[in-house]
Amino acid sequence: MSRRAAILELAVLGLLHDSPLHGYELRKRLNASLGAFRAFSYGSLYPCLKEMLTRGWIAHDGGGSASKRSRIVYRLTAEGKERLQDLLADSDPSAWEDENFGARFVFFAKTDAAVRLRILEGRRSRLEERLASVRASLARTRERLDSYTLALAQHGLESVEREVRWLNELIATERQSTTIVGQSQLRDEAAGPSPSLT
Amino acid sequence: MSRRAAILELAVLGLLHDSPLHGYELRKRLNASLGAFRAFSYGSLYPCLKEMLTRGWIAHDGGGSASKRSRIVYRLTAEGKERLQDLLADSDPSAWEDENFGARFVFFAKTDAAVRLRILEGRRSRLEERLASVRASLARTRERLDSYTLALAQHGLESVEREVRWLNELIATERQSTTIVGQSQLRDEAAGPSPSLT
DNA sequence: GTTAGCATGTAAGGAGTTACATGATTTT
DNA sequence: AAAATCATGTAACTCCTTACATGCTAAC
């Protein structure tokens, strides 16, 4: 049974939400979208597709008699769409970690403003916890550290601070859109709020 | 047998290079040093210690008769020190990936300038490859992407660019130290070159 | 004297990769 | 017609976590 890695399942559902795809192509897009934080091999993708098929999240045209074999094109079912929303909305504490947040963010345009806001805020508070704990541990051990370890810690801190500022901008933009447009903006998904990115 | 994860072995050798430690304490320091990119549980640490013991990289005082049990304090052997240098110097392509680079950088002060420089340059060229491939894929697909995916890609690119600049500074500093002091600077390890970090 | 934290260890299992096996289709 | 690359799939193996089992030692 093997409780499938949420991240791979999420990514497959997200990609198939746009258009039907076969495994080989799916894997290329997977590693293009998630490329920065994660890569998957066929050895994990194909078994995952198999299981998602039995669960009913996805389907393929097995209808035709002796149709062209080779490519097996999967598409999302209605249950699969629901499942995608559930996965995106799920706020298990691990959802704020680097990889899981990244995977959710990639498919942001496929969910609604309330969920987006919750994810962004969850991520931000996760990063702020991390900042606090790193700063504390740095204050405790600063004297004992060589300059390389210090330089790494410093660079790490600044990266996290940068991400927090980025999240602040995104959150501000989301709130504006929500306030002005109200609930019914679930329709203008494809465009998104276009936050400033300088 | 299980070809042990280089990263855990490296970290243990690096920590014991400073002072003898027992497993429990080792794990705390491990997750403090590597904290940002990696965490280990006892379930991987203790078996690793056991194997490193049989390989002769580390040793513990089994000499005393019925000495205080409970804590088992490990120290680095001469072979262990060599092994640490080998691991730090090893330039397997995977050595430039995030986690592996981080682990090497943490123990930079424990190796010599030539190795440091090679690692920094290896990491930089790895990042430049990544930049090139992300930029290429972005150029190809820019039109098809929603603004969220674009924002994430943009933020990711800027993070990598920032790290490249950071590496450039470190490399420049290393080169200066090497040129001025020559080979014999292996002695002033503990201090390090103190690059500017603004 | 009992709770909390220190300290060591192991067995089962999860999540994924590598390497292999196989065949179709396109390119040269 | 050979070589490359598209396409699917599986078995073995790696690395690590979780959960458990066990006892010591300090604090209240």
Side-chain angles (χ1 to χ4, degrees), chain A residues 93-125:
Chain A
S94 73
W96 320 128
E97 296 308 318
D98 296 343
E99 293 180 1
N100 291 321
F101 168 72
R104 274 164 184 75
F105 194 87
V106 165
F107 302 110
F108 245 37
K110 292 172 184 61
T111 192
D112 58 84
V115 171
R116 289 199 295 256
L117 206 51
R118 201 145 49 72
I119 294 175
L120 291 172
E121 284 170 344
R123 173 64 174 175
R124 182 175 58 180
S125 71

Side-chain angles (χ1 to χ4, degrees), chain A residues 98-195:
Chain A
D98 296 343
E99 293 180 1
N100 291 321
F101 168 72
R104 274 164 184 75
F105 194 87
V106 165
F107 302 110
F108 245 37
K110 292 172 184 61
T111 192
D112 58 84
V115 171
R116 289 199 295 256
L117 206 51
R118 201 145 49 72
I119 294 175
L120 291 172
E121 284 170 344
R123 173 64 174 175
R124 182 175 58 180
S125 71
R126 178 70 194 79
L127 290 183
E128 272 161 356
E129 277 172 33
R130 197 187 294 177
L131 279 178
S133 96
V134 172
R135 285 201 185 108
S137 121
L138 216 57
R140 260 187 284 108
T141 59
R142 179 170 280 277
E143 259 64 58
R144 287 190 269 140
L145 299 179
D146 62 279
S147 73
Y148 291 109
T149 312
L150 215 61
L152 184 63
Q154 194 70 32
H155 182 255
L157 265 181
E158 281 163 22
S159 296
V160 179
E161 284 163 355
R162 230 183 111 252
E163 189 178 341
V164 170
R165 287 196 298 274
W166 181 69
L167 287 171
N168 284 336
E169 277 182 45
L170 290 168
I171 289 169
T173 312
E174 286 287 341
R175 278 206 220 281
Q176 277 179 22
S177 314
T178 312
T179 312
I180 296 167
V181 185
Q183 271 294 337
S184 62
Q185 61 137 198
L186 321 198
R187 282 293 172 265
D188 75 331
E189 306 168 324
S194 273

Side-chain angles (χ1 to χ4, degrees), chain A residues 22-24 43 46 50 71-72:
Chain A
H22 60 272
Y24 194 86
Y46 285 115
K50 203 173 177 181
R71 293 184 172 197
I72 300 174

Side-chain angles (χ1 to χ4, degrees), chain A residues 19-113:
Chain A
S19 67
L21 292 169
H22 60 272
Y24 194 86
E25 179 65 22
L26 209 41
R27 192 224 177 194
K28 284 199 297 188
R29 305 242 183 147
L30 214 58
N31 295 339
S33 315
L34 308 181
F37 20 85
R38 207 78 169 67
F40 291 99
S41 62
Y42 299 117
S44 37
L45 176 59
Y46 285 115
C48 177
L49 287 172
K50 203 173 177 181
E51 196 189 309
M52 289 173 72
L53 195 64
T54 73
R55 296 204 181 210
W57 312 139
I58 61 178
H60 65 84
D61 292 322
S65 50
S67 67
K68 272 237 287 265
R69 265 310 115 157
S70 198
R71 293 184 172 197
I72 300 174
V73 178
Y74 296 95
R75 58 185 155 70
L76 212 51
T77 63
E79 293 93 337
K81 282 183 193 174
E82 271 180 51
R83 175 69 176 158
L84 175 58
Q85 292 307 318
D86 288 350
L87 282 177
L88 285 169
D90 172 27
S91 32
D92 181 294
S94 73
W96 320 128
E97 296 308 318
D98 296 343
E99 293 180 1
N100 291 321
F101 168 72
R104 274 164 184 75
F105 194 87
V106 165
F107 302 110
F108 245 37
K110 292 172 184 61
T111 192
D112 58 84

